[in-house]
Amino acid sequence: MFTVDQIKAAHSKVKSGADFPNYIQELIQLGVTSYETYVSDGHTEYFGKDAYQTSTTPTYDTLSIAEISNAEQFKIDLKAHQQGQTDYPTFCKDCAKSGIEKWAVAMDKMTCTYYDKAENELLTEIIPQ
């Protein structure tokens, strides 16, 4: 199965949201079936076949997640990130300000779903291939 080190090597190639589709393809090749990234500290839980699971440690200082989500501002910030206008740390800060608690990627559906603190689904996007 995959290791956190393999995932980190794949993630090191991501400089902006424009690199996200290639990153997803590399994770699929490693055997990742889904993952959830938590905006508060950047840790990610990765899932594979046969109930395999591994996770990363927090990657930055704790961010405060807004109690009330702002889906419209989030969509603006997400679009900017996907176009390569912001780096990953900026995107995470933008998510926190907009009330995004986590995002979940499902490889079988090729979707990325963003959730607020109440587990409300704010947006689901199809991942370009």
Side-chain angles (χ1 to χ4, degrees):
M1 287 266 99
F2 52 88
T3 66
V4 169
D5 286 339
Q6 289 173 308
I7 292 167
K8 285 181 179 179
H11 195 264
S12 71
K13 300 171 190 170
V14 178
K15 303 303 177 208
S16 73
D19 301 321
F20 189 67
N22 290 337
Y23 171 63
I24 294 300
Q25 290 302 318
E26 194 164 345
L27 291 184
I28 290 170
Q29 291 173 1
L30 290 173
V32 176
T33 58
S34 65
Y35 70 86
E36 296 180 355
T37 297
Y38 292 83
V39 174
S40 62
D41 63 8
H43 88 276
T44 301
E45 298 173 359
Y46 295 92
F47 306 93
K49 294 178 184 170
D50 300 322
Y52 180 77
Q53 181 178 348
T54 190
S55 62
T56 63
T57 57
T59 58
Y60 48 76
D61 292 337
T62 303
L63 297 173
S64 178
I65 309 299
E67 293 296 324
I68 299 172
S69 58
N70 183 340
E72 293 310 309
Q73 182 60 51
F74 171 68
K75 289 174 187 176
I76 292 167
D77 295 336
L78 176 61
K79 184 175 181 177
H81 186 63
Q82 290 171 334
Q83 293 174 345
Q85 297 173 20
T86 60
D87 61 11
Y88 185 72
T90 301
F91 176 65
C92 292
K93 290 175 187 172
D94 289 342
C95 286
K97 289 178 195 172
S98 292
I100 303 299
E101 181 173 50
K102 70 177 181 178
W103 59 83
V105 173
M107 306 310 190
D108 60 340
K109 298 175 186 172
M110 290 303 286
T111 59
C112 182
T113 304
Y114 299 88
Y115 296 92
D116 66 11
K117 289 176 95 170
E119 290 287 319
N120 295 312
E121 182 180 312
L122 296 181
L123 176 68
T124 296
E125 288 201 318
I126 302 297
I127 299 169
Q129 297 182 29

